[in-house]
Amino acid sequence: MKRLIDLFYKIFNIIKFKHLGVSFGKGLRVSGSMNLIVSQNSNIKIGDNFRLVSGNMYNSIGRNIKSCLRADDQSKVIIGDNVGMSNVSIWAKLSINIGNNVKIGADTIVIDSDMHALDYMHRRNYKDDVINAQKKAIIIGDDVFIGTRSIICKGVNIGARTIIGAGSVVICDIPADEIWAGNPAKFIKKLNT
């Protein structure tokens, strides 16, 4: 029965990606039911050999959390080749660029906006709230590993080959070849490459 369910989601997710205009390379594999939201004038582009796990206990750490890829109006999500993610939420209001060979652990959130205005008066009105929420692009370099339950906040640039420890909240740029962890994430040590 599990094989039949896996086959259904494999076919269904490819149809969903095509229907919503998502550009993807060869070897796309999405396990489980996921949320995919592509708004007007937005773009999601995915490279070759993309692997996404979503719900259904495919990943014990991610439990039954559904993955979500979302690009709001006039935003873009660009994902490189050989990227793997489990039970994640990737939500762009401006731009999220994920390099090649990146691994993103279960229950991680990557958001390029505060999602709400900082001024309480703007938050009282839905349209004002959305318009005044701050947005800044996110760039995740090649070969980055992001540990489970991390949060990558707006405006962050993570350098190539860097490791982000589980449960980290990344609020500032991180150079290449380093390990960072904590809330907020702090420098732990340089990597020997």
Side-chain angles (χ1 to χ4, degrees):
M1 184 67 168
K2 186 175 183 321
R3 281 187 184 170
L4 190 59
I5 292 169
D6 290 347
L7 179 62
F8 167 79
Y9 281 122
K10 180 179 179 180
I11 294 167
F12 178 76
N13 287 319
I14 288 173
I15 292 168
K16 185 191 296 188
F17 275 57
K18 286 182 179 179
H19 175 72
L20 292 174
V22 174
S23 168
F24 58 91
K26 64 184 182 206
L28 174 77
R29 189 171 74 208
V30 178
S31 301
S33 173
M34 66 166 296
N35 293 321
L36 179 63
I37 302 163
V38 185
S39 298
Q40 292 181 358
N41 302 314
S42 63
N43 182 24
I44 297 179
K45 183 177 179 184
I46 300 170
D48 293 338
N49 304 314
F50 178 64
R51 303 288 185 261
L52 179 69
V53 172
S54 182
N56 298 344
M57 292 300 291
Y58 286 102
N59 179 332
S60 297
I61 296 172
R63 302 170 317 271
N64 282 325
I65 298 169
K66 273 188 174 184
S67 286
C68 179
L69 293 179
R70 178 173 176 169
D72 283 358
D73 291 346
Q74 300 182 31
S75 69
K76 64 181 178 178
V77 175
I78 309 297
I79 299 171
D81 296 334
N82 306 311
V83 172
M85 305 177 182
S86 295
N87 313 88
V88 299
S89 180
I90 310 291
W91 187 356
K93 289 199 170 269
L94 182 63
S95 173
I96 297 174
N97 194 324
I98 298 170
N100 298 318
N101 307 304
V102 172
K103 303 295 180 254
I104 300 180
D107 205 9
T108 290
I109 299 170
V110 181
I111 50 174
D112 67 355
S113 169
D114 290 332
M115 300 300 162
H116 294 282
L118 298 180
D119 185 323
Y120 74 94
M121 292 300 289
H122 290 146
R123 289 194 305 269
R124 290 182 178 183
N125 177 288
Y126 174 76
K127 286 183 180 178
D128 288 343
D129 190 18
V130 170
I131 290 168
N132 288 290
Q134 294 182 15
K135 328 180 245 287
K136 292 182 184 173
I138 292 174
I139 300 172
I140 299 172
D142 293 345
D143 298 293
V144 168
F145 173 65
I146 299 173
T148 188
R149 293 193 178 87
S150 293
I151 301 172
I152 310 301
C153 296
K154 72 179 188 308
V156 166
N157 185 342
I158 300 175
R161 299 168 301 279
T162 287
I163 296 171
I164 306 299
S168 296
V169 178
V170 180
I171 60 172
C172 65
D173 289 352
I174 297 178
D177 302 308
E178 294 186 355
I179 298 175
W180 283 56
N183 179 6
K186 296 185 182 341
F187 172 77
I188 304 298
K189 69 176 190 174
K190 290 289 270 180
L191 287 167
N192 296 326
T193 56

